[in-house]
Amino acid sequence: MTALTREDVTSMILSAKRQAGLTWEGIAEAIGMSPVWTHSAAMGMNAMPEDKAKAITETLGLPQEAALVLQESPTKIWSQTVPTDPCIYRLYEIVGVYGPTIKALIHEKFGDGIMSAIDFDMSVTRVENPKGDRVKIEMSGKYLGYNAW
Amino acid sequence: MTALTREDVTSMILSAKRQAGLTWEGIAEAIGMSPVWTHSAAMGMNAMPEDKAKAITETLGLPQEAALVLQESPTKIWSQTVPTDPCIYRLYEIVGVYGPTIKALIHEKFGDGIMSAIDFDMSVTRVENPKGDRVKIEMSGKYLGYNAW
Amino acid sequence: MTALTREDVTSMILSAKRQAGLTWEGIAEAIGMSPVWTHSAAMGMNAMPEDKAKAITETLGLPQEAALVLQESPTKIWSQTVPTDPCIYRLYEIVGVYGPTIKALIHEKFGDGIMSAIDFDMSVTRVENPKGDRVKIEMSGKYLGYNAW
Amino acid sequence: MTALTREDVTSMILSAKRQAGLTWEGIAEAIGMSPVWTHSAAMGMNAMPEDKAKAITETLGLPQEAALVLQESPTKIWSQTVPTDPCIYRLYEIVGVYGPTIKALIHEKFGDGIMSAIDFDMSVTRVENPKGDRVKIEMSGKYLGYNAW
Amino acid sequence: MTALTREDVTSMILSAKRQAGLTWEGIAEAIGMSPVWTHSAAMGMNAMPEDKAKAITETLGLPQEAALVLQESPTKIWSQTVPTDPCIYRLYEIVGVYGPTIKALIHEKFGDGIMSAIDFDMSVTRVENPKGDRVKIEMSGKYLGYNAW
Amino acid sequence: MTALTREDVTSMILSAKRQAGLTWEGIAEAIGMSPVWTHSAAMGMNAMPEDKAKAITETLGLPQEAALVLQESPTKIWSQTVPTDPCIYRLYEIVGVYGPTIKALIHEKFGDGIMSAIDFDMSVTRVENPKGDRVKIEMSGKYLGYNAW
Amino acid sequence: MTALTREDVTSMILSAKRQAGLTWEGIAEAIGMSPVWTHSAAMGMNAMPEDKAKAITETLGLPQEAALVLQESPTKIWSQTVPTDPCIYRLYEIVGVYGPTIKALIHEKFGDGIMSAIDFDMSVTRVENPKGDRVKIEMSGKYLGYNAW
Amino acid sequence: MTALTREDVTSMILSAKRQAGLTWEGIAEAIGMSPVWTHSAAMGMNAMPEDKAKAITETLGLPQEAALVLQESPTKIWSQTVPTDPCIYRLYEIVGVYGPTIKALIHEKFGDGIMSAIDFDMSVTRVENPKGDRVKIEMSGKYLGYNAW
Amino acid sequence: MTALTREDVTSMILSAKRQAGLTWEGIAEAIGMSPVWTHSAAMGMNAMPEDKAKAITETLGLPQEAALVLQESPTKIWSQTVPTDPCIYRLYEIVGVYGPTIKALIHEKFGDGIMSAIDFDMSVTRVENPKGDRVKIEMSGKYLGYNAW
Amino acid sequence: MTALTREDVTSMILSAKRQAGLTWEGIAEAIGMSPVWTHSAAMGMNAMPEDKAKAITETLGLPQEAALVLQESPTKIWSQTVPTDPCIYRLYEIVGVYGPTIKALIHEKFGDGIMSAIDFDMSVTRVENPKGDRVKIEMSGKYLGYNAW
């Protein structure tokens, strides 16, 4: 008998979501977390605390072992250095075009350091606009200043 | 006699800014634009409309030819497929970790499409926080739905 | 019981098309769409609206679940950065040779911006010619001007 | 004394064009060729026949040696396997998304073969549209069928 | 029931060839084609006309469906950008060392253009030589001149 | 005082050839060697024996030091793993498509081994043809069998 | 008049160090910082606080402008994805071999998170050993736990 | 009957560890080795001496054949040239930023040579700190001086 | 019924060797060849002459079909451009560090040419040394001089 | 006044060697070292001890500062991951083909470890042979066994 893998649990979640006709927003609300974090944890890009892991497996009717897997520290892997999907590529392009600008402004506002991608959160919202609705992405990460020793 | 290049103008701007002790925020205010856009246009990642090109050359005391160069459509080039600077790499990492999540939520909120990186704007702000101040990045891009024909 | 994947549905379409002796032009006509869009949606490079997804599954005698899969937003992936197939490589070569030219002419005719690859359509036709028939490819995409803010 | 290089001549053309306030369409008309071909030959992506090389050097007031250089067979080089400029990247993306579709339709309409990128021509035009003007790109290349021997 | 793939048919051909103790030269003679073309079509690098596809399946005792697969337009894929097998690498090396020379001589003898790799044929022969026999490779491709328009 | 480099000598040869209106065929004839070898040695892809190095410098009126440089063993470098120039790319494509075929036929005619790219010669000729003249490339390399010990 | 660049200042430091016969340890002691940090800041991999920038320019007799450059936030760039220098490659190899182990032990001791490379310090020391002296590298970075929101 | 592979044994170890609720520290203590070495040997990045291989298979209840596999010299492979997992990437970044510094200090303290990654050991510990606990990594490798002959 | 592949035969050899407790040296002696050649042929990096193929299959008790497979000309493939295993990487490093030196000395001792990797043999031996035993690798390849024609 | 760089010293050595008509073997003999080590140190791939650095600068008549540069620890860089020069490529090919074999035999003769590329020496000699002279390369490196702790 083989143990459940992360990939198995991700498949189970996607399959249960489809059958139950749920949305990520709905699942996120059911477990009391944000949609961004909920989706990324379901995809194996974040580990779940015990109570959230149990909540999602109960919400979706998954086996108990799945809750254990969801609490493990995942190895985050993406295989395309440059993503090809147009929706994801546009984000990569923004980093290429505006990355040096963000760095310069962080330096101006904070000093020599970075925005953490670990102590970090994000939201995606829809903003109505008469010229065409807009996608709004808000990221917030702790400023970390370089150490001198 | 050789014509001014984009690289020449970027150097002039950086040099004048240093000598005058200005900030990007200050230059942006002087020309009536946002700091993100102002920096990226100065770096050759965006073209300036005529009035803004004139305003920045006047503000910084650059030659008139510089204003012409700043209005040209730049060829946007970044040479590192994966950026090495830690501040910029963290942004790349966010795309790798959360890119599929952003795609899934755009699909859920809008349908099959993307956030434009062209009809797009962004801001970087400092948010005070007792556990350590945070960098806030807000992006807004027009939703573009895929065509079916 | 495992759910149908995009790859399963693509295989079903190719298999049914072969058995029924159909052409892409024929299938496209049957569902009232263009051959380019129909083929790309069948390959998992575009999502189908509900009515078209139902039309193609009925035309080809596929199971109902296939229609659901065809409506999902696909993650567009191509694994060869430089395509090796000679027919596709020639298109890549055209981008390499004429890409800067197309950019310069868009700039001259419209201003600083791009041709959208999302709000986009294309056709492929055969043009008779005494020196040898020619392939004609017509692309049309919405002009998107860069934002200044 | 060193000979003129292709890069020298390209610089001369760009510089003279700027000073004379000309457009690519204007230069093309002056030498009786299309704007796409004229720009690509000026950039060193096509060789000019003798009369056209002389016409462009006269139009722009370049030295006679430049006309010789423009007639040489250029070595076509692009240094970015995946172009970063957004305007050119969208064309690359179209090849990735629709390349297999174009191949399938060429096969259906002609047989096993390709569209030539050598016996080839192209145009870029602006099409007015109430929802936003569109860029139209038309390519035409001779069909070449694979040999069997 | 799954359809035969190209890979299945290639395996069948290799297996039947081994069991029957045939050579590529022998198979080529049996179907009235050259050994180079016959091998490459068997490997999925060329499509067969109907009569040749039938001839090879009869010669090797393959099922009728195989003849249909052999007539399809294959997507030509090689996965190693730089081949590692020494016999194939030497050919790659020849392109690296002598490619610019071949280009210069084509230009000198024909004008600005290329040797087609589509309207193309090749042979491999053994030439006796007292200092050690030699491999002779002869390639012939139609000259294609660049278009000006 | 700096010594002449290979790049210097290549430039001198190209410049003298242009000024004298010579062809590669003409230069090759003047030094009693083939055009392919002559061009590749001039480009720094082969070393010249003393008499040929002297002959070419006399033919083109180059300084004596150039003859020394032409006799040195060059380090053969090509910077594009996949060549972009269409004329050279077609040769790369032929290796990708027909490489395994050439290997199989060498194996069938000689045994386990390769065609040498060192004990090697090549010619490029123009073959008249009513359907369009053809480029003929003939390569000949010594067969080298793998050692077993 | 052109401004000093980071590269200029690094060259000045290396040159002054050689002429004065100093060691990194000596320079570090003179400015009251560690040798690791001092060398990396001199190489442009860390920004110096004002007092340290002044101290090093005084110690080495550099111009005042150099102290300004040393305080700027550097863009950290390394051009070899896989370093070739054997001394640096061994460190890369250690990351390849022991990276997953370090991750597993951080997870076991702290939870789901990382060791910061920003709030970070390091030392290199020589440890005497009868079987051959050893290099000891000690790294210390703040633990950062992933956020859930 | 197929033999056990390294991957099989790694899976067995991970599965037994999970079922027994053990930690790497606990397993390491049980076999009398360090946690770093124990984890890396379990992952196939180090070979075990016979007694340790037997000890771990007994501790975890694995079949005897597993002990044989653990003693074999593994081929150490990592597939990502640049690791994407943030925890491992930070280590890669440290090599990029501080690699040249470590090299310079080894040179200053020892002479021209390297720190061995073979005669090497490492530990990972948790250091309490009121500003947030820290990860401490200590590496020790034999100094190897370059040979001159 | 499927035919044996090279991979199957390599697995059979490794499995039989393990069960019989043989060494490569022992197997090599049994078939009257060197250990280097024997191992590489067993791994699919060299073809075996008929008698040696039969000898090894008899020595290890493999099926007769295996002897046929071992006589086929293998396609030599290695998937890591830069090998990660430390033992193999060190060899790669030697090529990087000493490759240009070997080239210079071959040129000095022989003229413009190379050491063949086809008409080639090699041995690996252990040399006792009081400061630590040494690995000795001896390579011998036929000198091949470049052709001029 | 700028300091001498490694590249300057390498150029001086090559230039003086050419003018004096020396060989590497002759220079090596003059300084009492081997030709392999002498050439690699001259190319910047090894550091020279003080006496050898002085000996070579005296032998070739270089300035005293050159002797200082030759004693510095060089950063060893090669820019081609896969070397293109045929003479060097053959060595790379040998690592690809025989690397796993060398690893297996080291393991069989010594245990789990590697051949050092640091405590290492090498020679290149010409071996007469009636079938064609052969290049003999002998490498010797200290065996380093993996540590267990």
Side-chain angles (χ1 to χ4, degrees), chain A residues 33-34 36-37 46-47 73-76 103 107 112 114 118-122 142 144-149, chain G residues 33-34 36-37 46-47 73-76 103 107 112 114 118-122 142 144-149:
Chain A
M33 299 299 285
S34 71
V36 167
W37 184 86
N46 269 306
S73 178
T75 296
K76 302 178 180 185
K103 178 181 169 70
H107 185 46
D112 192 34
I114 68 163
I118 308 297
D119 187 339
F120 174 83
D121 59 75
M122 179 165 45
K142 191 177 176 182
L144 302 176
Y146 280 107
N147 216 19
W149 72 96
Chain G
M33 298 299 286
S34 70
V36 167
W37 183 86
N46 268 308
S73 177
T75 296
K76 304 179 179 186
K103 179 182 169 69
H107 185 46
D112 192 34
I114 69 162
I118 307 297
D119 187 341
F120 174 83
D121 59 75
M122 176 164 48
K142 191 176 177 183
L144 302 176
Y146 280 107
N147 215 18
W149 71 94

Side-chain angles (χ1 to χ4, degrees), chain C residues 45-125:
Chain C
M45 285 294 187
N46 268 307
M48 286 196 170
E50 192 179 355
D51 57 334
K52 300 306 175 186
K54 285 187 174 159
I56 198 170
T57 49
E58 276 163 27
T59 301
L60 295 170
L62 307 185
Q64 287 195 328
E65 192 184 354
L68 292 175
V69 173
L70 287 166
Q71 295 173 54
E72 290 180 358
S73 178
T75 297
K76 302 178 180 186
I77 292 188
W78 54 95
S79 58
Q80 293 189 302
T81 302
V82 178
T84 56
D85 185 80
C87 185
I88 303 176
Y89 180 83
R90 296 306 179 271
L91 302 169
Y92 173 80
E93 187 175 291
I94 289 166
V95 174
V97 172
Y98 295 104
T101 294
I102 294 171
K103 177 181 169 70
L105 294 179
I106 287 176
H107 185 46
E108 190 164 303
K109 289 173 199 295
F110 294 86
D112 192 35
I114 68 163
M115 176 181 78
S116 178
I118 307 297
D119 187 340
F120 174 82
D121 59 77
M122 179 166 44
S123 67
V124 179
T125 49

Side-chain angles (χ1 to χ4, degrees), chain A residues 106 111-117 142-146, chain B residues 86-87 90 135, chain G residues 118:
Chain A
I106 288 176
D112 192 34
I114 68 163
M115 176 181 78
S116 179
K142 191 177 176 182
Y143 169 73
L144 302 176
Y146 280 107
Chain B
C87 185
R90 297 306 179 271
V135 182
Chain G
I118 307 297

Side-chain angles (χ1 to χ4, degrees), chain F residues 33-34 36-37 46-47 73-76 103 107 112 114 118-122 142 144-149, chain I residues 33-34 36-37 46-47 73-76 103 107 112 114 118-122 142 144-149:
Chain F
M33 299 297 286
S34 70
V36 167
W37 183 86
N46 268 306
S73 178
T75 296
K76 303 179 180 186
K103 178 181 169 70
H107 185 47
D112 191 35
I114 68 163
I118 308 296
D119 187 340
F120 174 83
D121 60 74
M122 178 166 44
K142 191 177 175 181
L144 303 175
Y146 280 106
N147 216 20
W149 72 95
Chain I
M33 299 298 286
S34 70
V36 167
W37 184 86
N46 269 307
S73 179
T75 296
K76 301 178 182 188
K103 177 181 170 70
H107 185 46
D112 191 33
I114 69 162
I118 307 297
D119 187 340
F120 174 83
D121 59 77
M122 179 166 43
K142 192 177 177 181
L144 303 176
Y146 280 105
N147 216 19
W149 72 95

Side-chain angles (χ1 to χ4, degrees), chain D residues 34 73 76 112 122 146 149, chain E residues 34 73 76 112 122 146 149:
Chain D
S34 70
S73 177
K76 302 178 180 185
D112 191 34
M122 177 166 45
Y146 280 107
W149 71 94
Chain E
S34 70
S73 179
K76 302 179 180 186
D112 192 34
M122 178 165 46
Y146 280 106
W149 73 95

Side-chain angles (χ1 to χ4, degrees), chain G residues 28-85:
Chain G
E29 202 173 1
I31 68 168
M33 298 299 286
S34 70
V36 167
W37 183 86
T38 304
H39 180 276
S40 83
M43 293 299 107
M45 285 296 188
N46 268 308
M48 287 196 170
E50 193 181 353
D51 57 333
K52 300 306 175 187
K54 285 186 174 161
I56 199 170
T57 50
E58 278 163 27
T59 300
L60 296 169
L62 307 185
Q64 287 195 326
E65 193 184 353
L68 292 175
V69 173
L70 288 165
Q71 296 172 55
E72 289 180 357
S73 177
T75 296
K76 304 179 179 186
I77 292 189
W78 53 94
S79 57
Q80 291 189 302
T81 302
V82 179
T84 56
D85 184 81

Side-chain angles (χ1 to χ4, degrees), chain F residues 16 22 73 84 91 103:
Chain F
L22 291 169
S73 178
T84 56
L91 301 169
K103 178 181 169 70

Side-chain angles (χ1 to χ4, degrees), chain D residues 32-38 40 45-47 49 71-76 103 107 111-114 116-123 140 142 144-149, chain E residues 32-38 40 45-47 49 71-76 103 107 111-114 116-123 140 142 144-149:
Chain D
M33 298 298 286
S34 70
V36 167
W37 183 87
T38 303
S40 82
M45 285 295 189
N46 268 307
Q71 295 173 55
E72 289 179 357
S73 177
T75 296
K76 302 178 180 185
K103 178 181 169 72
H107 186 47
D112 191 34
I114 68 163
S116 179
I118 307 298
D119 188 340
F120 174 82
D121 60 76
M122 177 166 45
S123 67
S140 158
K142 191 177 175 181
L144 302 176
Y146 280 107
N147 215 18
W149 71 94
Chain E
M33 299 298 286
S34 70
V36 168
W37 184 87
T38 303
S40 81
M45 284 295 187
N46 269 308
Q71 295 173 55
E72 289 179 358
S73 179
T75 296
K76 302 179 180 186
K103 178 180 169 71
H107 185 47
D112 192 34
I114 68 162
S116 178
I118 308 296
D119 187 340
F120 174 83
D121 59 77
M122 178 165 46
S123 67
S140 159
K142 191 176 177 182
L144 302 176
Y146 280 106
N147 216 19
W149 73 95

